[in-house]
Protein backbone atom coordinates (compact mmCIF):
# COMPACT_ATOMS: atom_id res chain seq x y z
CA UNK A 1 0.00 0.00 0.00
CA UNK A 2 2.89 2.33 0.71
CA UNK A 3 4.08 2.00 -2.89
CA UNK A 4 0.69 3.05 -4.34
CA UNK A 5 0.51 6.09 -2.03
CA UNK A 6 4.07 7.13 -2.82
CA UNK A 7 3.46 6.66 -6.57
CA UNK A 8 0.38 8.91 -6.59
CA UNK A 9 2.11 11.55 -4.46
CA UNK A 10 5.17 11.51 -6.74
CA UNK A 11 3.05 11.96 -9.88
CA UNK A 12 1.10 14.80 -8.28
CA UNK A 13 4.26 16.55 -7.04
CA UNK A 14 5.80 16.34 -10.52
CA UNK A 15 2.82 17.83 -12.34
CA UNK A 16 0.92 20.15 -9.99
CA UNK A 17 1.90 23.82 -9.63
CA UNK A 18 5.24 24.16 -7.83
CA UNK A 19 3.71 26.63 -5.36
CA UNK A 20 1.52 23.83 -3.99
CA UNK A 21 2.64 21.36 -1.36
CA UNK A 22 2.14 17.60 -1.76
CA UNK A 23 2.22 15.49 1.41
CA UNK A 24 2.40 11.72 1.13
CA UNK A 25 2.12 10.61 4.73
CA UNK A 26 -0.66 9.71 7.10
CA UNK A 27 0.23 12.48 9.59
CA UNK A 28 -2.48 15.14 9.66
CA UNK A 29 -0.69 17.63 11.92
CA UNK A 30 1.31 19.49 9.25
CA UNK A 31 0.88 23.27 9.09
CA UNK A 32 -1.05 24.33 5.98
CA UNK A 33 0.46 27.55 4.60
CA UNK A 34 -0.52 27.17 0.91
CA UNK A 35 -2.68 24.91 -1.26
CA UNK A 36 -1.84 21.47 0.09
CA UNK A 37 -2.57 18.08 -1.41
CA UNK A 38 -2.42 15.12 0.96
CA UNK A 39 -2.43 11.50 -0.23
CA UNK A 40 -3.71 8.85 2.21
CA UNK A 41 -4.51 5.17 1.93
CA UNK A 42 -8.22 4.51 2.15
CA UNK A 43 -8.88 0.94 0.98
CA UNK A 44 -7.35 -1.99 -0.88
CA UNK A 45 -9.26 -4.80 -2.57
CA UNK A 46 -8.29 -7.86 -4.50
CA UNK A 47 -9.00 -7.17 -8.15
CA UNK A 48 -11.52 -9.91 -8.93
CA UNK A 49 -11.24 -9.53 -12.72
CA UNK A 50 -7.50 -10.18 -12.65
CA UNK A 51 -5.28 -13.02 -11.57
CA UNK A 52 -4.33 -13.52 -7.91
CA UNK A 53 -1.96 -10.85 -6.68
CA UNK A 54 -3.64 -7.89 -8.42
CA UNK A 55 -4.95 -5.15 -6.12
CA UNK A 56 -7.19 -2.10 -6.49
CA UNK A 57 -5.97 0.62 -4.10
CA UNK A 58 -8.23 3.53 -3.25
CA UNK A 59 -6.23 6.53 -2.13
CA UNK A 60 -7.86 9.65 -0.76
CA UNK A 61 -6.40 12.76 -2.40
CA UNK A 62 -7.45 15.86 -0.46
CA UNK A 63 -6.73 19.36 -1.75
CA UNK A 64 -6.96 21.84 1.11
CA UNK A 65 -6.96 25.62 1.11
CA UNK A 66 -4.85 27.44 3.65
CA UNK A 67 -7.30 30.35 3.71
CA UNK A 68 -9.55 30.61 6.75
CA UNK A 69 -12.01 33.05 5.21
CA UNK A 70 -14.74 30.78 3.79
CA UNK A 71 -15.49 32.85 0.67
CA UNK A 72 -11.80 33.25 -0.23
CA UNK A 73 -11.14 29.58 0.41
CA UNK A 74 -14.07 28.63 -1.83
CA UNK A 75 -12.64 30.68 -4.71
CA UNK A 76 -9.15 29.33 -4.02
CA UNK A 77 -10.39 25.75 -4.30
CA UNK A 78 -12.57 26.49 -7.35
CA UNK A 79 -9.33 27.45 -9.10
CA UNK A 80 -7.31 24.55 -7.67
CA UNK A 81 -9.68 21.62 -8.22
CA UNK A 82 -9.61 21.66 -12.06
CA UNK A 83 -5.79 21.64 -11.97
CA UNK A 84 -5.78 18.65 -9.63
CA UNK A 85 -8.34 16.73 -11.69
CA UNK A 86 -6.44 17.41 -14.92
CA UNK A 87 -3.25 15.94 -13.44
CA UNK A 88 -5.15 12.90 -12.15
CA UNK A 89 -6.74 12.31 -15.56
CA UNK A 90 -3.66 13.05 -17.66
CA UNK A 91 -1.06 11.23 -15.57
CA UNK A 92 -2.94 8.59 -13.57
CA UNK A 93 -5.51 7.60 -16.20
CA UNK A 94 -9.26 7.54 -15.54
CA UNK A 95 -8.55 6.94 -11.88
CA UNK A 96 -11.32 8.93 -10.17
CA UNK A 97 -15.12 8.98 -10.16
CA UNK A 98 -16.20 11.95 -8.04
CA UNK A 99 -14.96 14.77 -5.84
CA UNK A 100 -16.62 15.88 -2.61
CA UNK A 101 -16.29 19.23 -0.84
CA UNK A 102 -15.45 18.75 2.85
CA UNK A 103 -14.22 20.60 5.89
CA UNK A 104 -10.71 19.30 6.62
CA UNK A 105 -10.84 18.05 10.23
CA UNK A 106 -7.10 18.66 10.69
CA UNK A 107 -7.15 22.34 9.66
CA UNK A 108 -10.84 23.30 9.86
CA UNK A 109 -10.54 24.80 6.37
CA UNK A 110 -12.32 23.92 3.14
CA UNK A 111 -11.07 21.03 1.04
CA UNK A 112 -12.04 18.66 -1.76
CA UNK A 113 -11.69 14.89 -1.40
CA UNK A 114 -10.99 12.88 -4.54
CA UNK A 115 -10.78 9.08 -4.19
CA UNK A 116 -8.21 7.82 -6.73
CA UNK A 117 -7.85 4.19 -7.84
CA UNK A 118 -4.49 2.61 -8.62
CA UNK A 119 -4.02 -1.00 -9.70
CA UNK A 120 -0.94 -2.86 -8.52
CA UNK A 121 0.29 -6.41 -8.53
CA UNK A 122 2.73 -8.35 -6.39
CA UNK A 123 5.26 -8.10 -9.21
CA UNK A 124 5.19 -4.23 -9.19
Amino acid sequence: MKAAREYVARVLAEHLPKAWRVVDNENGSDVIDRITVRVRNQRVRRLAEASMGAYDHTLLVRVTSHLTDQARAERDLEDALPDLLAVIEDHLGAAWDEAEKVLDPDTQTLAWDVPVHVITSRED
Side-chain angles (χ1 to χ4, degrees):
M1 289 195 301
K2 176 180 160 185
R5 179 178 47 80
E6 289 176 344
Y7 167 72
V8 169
R10 185 176 64 249
V11 168
L12 294 175
E14 287 174 12
H15 299 286
L16 287 172
K18 298 302 177 203
W20 294 15
R21 182 171 176 219
V22 176
V23 179
D24 75 339
N25 63 39
E26 299 288 329
N27 179 7
S29 63
D30 294 321
V31 174
I32 306 292
D33 59 355
R34 59 190 134 171
I35 291 284
T36 300
V37 177
R38 182 178 310 281
V39 182
R40 292 181 171 157
N41 288 307
Q42 190 173 41
R43 167 180 314 118
V44 64
R45 291 183 237 191
R46 189 177 99 57
L47 193 57
E49 306 84 40
S51 60
M52 292 296 283
Y55 307 103
D56 176 4
H57 298 264
T58 304
L59 299 134
L60 183 64
V61 176
R62 174 175 288 161
V63 58
T64 304
S65 175
H66 63 294
L67 301 173
T68 55
D69 176 84
Q70 191 95 349
R72 290 181 60 213
E74 183 79 38
R75 286 190 299 277
D76 196 33
L77 290 172
E78 284 176 349
D79 292 338
L81 185 61
D83 292 341
L84 175 63
L85 296 178
V87 170
I88 290 170
E89 289 174 352
D90 293 347
H91 300 284
L92 294 172
W96 73 282
D97 295 320
E98 64 182 357
E100 178 181 9
K101 187 166 55 169
V102 298
L103 185 65
D104 187 315
D106 297 327
T107 63
Q108 298 303 308
T109 58
L110 285 178
W112 280 89
D113 283 351
V114 184
V116 173
H117 296 274
V118 174
I119 307 301
T120 65
S121 68
R122 279 189 250 176
E123 291 78 37
D124 288 344

